[in-house]
Amino acid sequence: MKQNLIIIAFVFGVVFTTHAQMAQKIGDNPMTLNPSAIFETESVTKGLLPPRMTTIQRNAIASPPAGLVVYNTTTNLLEIYNGTIWSGGHNIPKEYVAIPPSGTINASNTQSQIFIMSNCDTCNPTIVLPTEATNGLEHIIRNRTTSTITFMKPPSVSGNKPVSFIANSNSAVEATSFILTANKTITIVFFDYDANDSFSGTWYFFD
């Protein structure tokens, strides 16, 4: 009798273990787990809903591990922590913007953009970057003329932390504006890597 109980317990353990492994899939076809996945979801009518929180709530997460995913309700973007910063803005599609021949145009703080100036050889427009932006947001400026394009960090606002403006060569720290010369392209990325930093963020451009 005792031996039979041991056999029954063993069989039950095997069945339970097998069931636990198959339970790693949620949704449609739960019995067909992808062999490369430790956890899988499948559905043609529903989506996967990650934790939703504001930027302040996200920044309050203690010691986030690399790979942590949240949906930021402040920026309306899915963001991933890469071990150093929360990144997400650079994953969104870029909006095409035709640069006007003169005057000032304000870059978006939520939408990555591609700015292009064409067919104007006597122009000098100005692109002003926002004070704060989605972490990882990327702007590309393309000058296809013999004119120049001025791009500049936003003016400081009383009571707000300033924005840092840094070239990848570190030769342009704290300048307020830069000139994109004829037939040149530049990429500018916003990083907000430390909520306790003296800056609200940094516009980092590849000169």
Side-chain angles (χ1 to χ4, degrees):
M1 180 66 178
K2 184 177 181 180
Q3 185 177 6
N4 291 338
L5 290 176
I6 292 175
I7 294 174
I8 292 173
F10 176 77
V11 172
F12 179 80
V14 171
V15 172
F16 179 81
T17 300
T18 302
H19 175 73
Q21 291 174 343
M22 289 188 298
Q24 292 172 348
K25 181 173 182 179
I26 295 177
D28 300 341
N29 305 310
M31 305 298 287
T32 57
L33 178 66
N34 188 302
S36 299
I38 191 171
F39 177 75
E40 180 183 0
T41 60
E42 180 182 352
S43 177
V44 295
T45 58
K46 297 180 180 180
L48 179 66
L49 187 62
R52 293 158 290 171
M53 63 189 72
T54 65
T55 297
I56 294 175
Q57 292 169 329
R58 182 207 67 189
N59 290 341
I61 298 175
S63 302
L68 190 67
V69 178
V70 302
Y71 183 81
N72 189 327
T73 56
T74 302
T75 61
N76 293 321
L77 289 171
L78 189 69
E79 297 181 339
I80 302 174
Y81 190 71
N82 67 5
T84 304
I85 63 172
W86 289 95
S87 180
H90 65 282
N91 292 324
I92 60 179
K94 292 179 177 61
E95 175 187 35
Y96 172 81
V97 179
I99 301 175
S102 61
T104 299
I105 183 171
N106 294 313
S108 172
N109 66 340
T110 59
Q111 172 70 60
S112 288
Q113 295 172 310
I114 299 175
F115 295 89
I116 298 181
M117 185 167 75
S118 303
N119 304 320
C120 186
D121 295 330
T122 58
C123 300
N124 185 20
T126 298
I127 298 174
V128 179
L129 300 168
T131 302
E132 293 188 27
T134 301
N135 195 26
L137 186 139
E138 179 181 272
H139 289 310
I140 297 174
I141 304 175
R142 170 66 170 148
N143 185 0
R144 300 177 60 188
T145 73
T146 57
S147 297
T148 59
I149 300 173
T150 301
F151 63 99
M152 59 187 298
K153 72 176 183 179
S156 298
V157 178
S158 177
N160 292 346
K161 293 190 293 185
V163 178
S164 180
F165 205 30
I166 302 176
N168 68 330
S169 61
N170 289 322
S171 62
V173 179
E174 290 312 298
T176 58
S177 64
F178 296 93
I179 301 297
L180 185 63
T181 55
N183 299 305
K184 299 292 184 180
T185 299
I186 195 166
T187 299
I188 310 172
V189 183
F190 186 80
F191 291 110
D192 183 10
Y193 47 84
D194 185 356
N196 298 316
D197 193 15
S198 58
F199 296 103
S200 63
T202 298
W203 283 106
Y204 188 92
F205 63 94
F206 301 87
D207 58 338

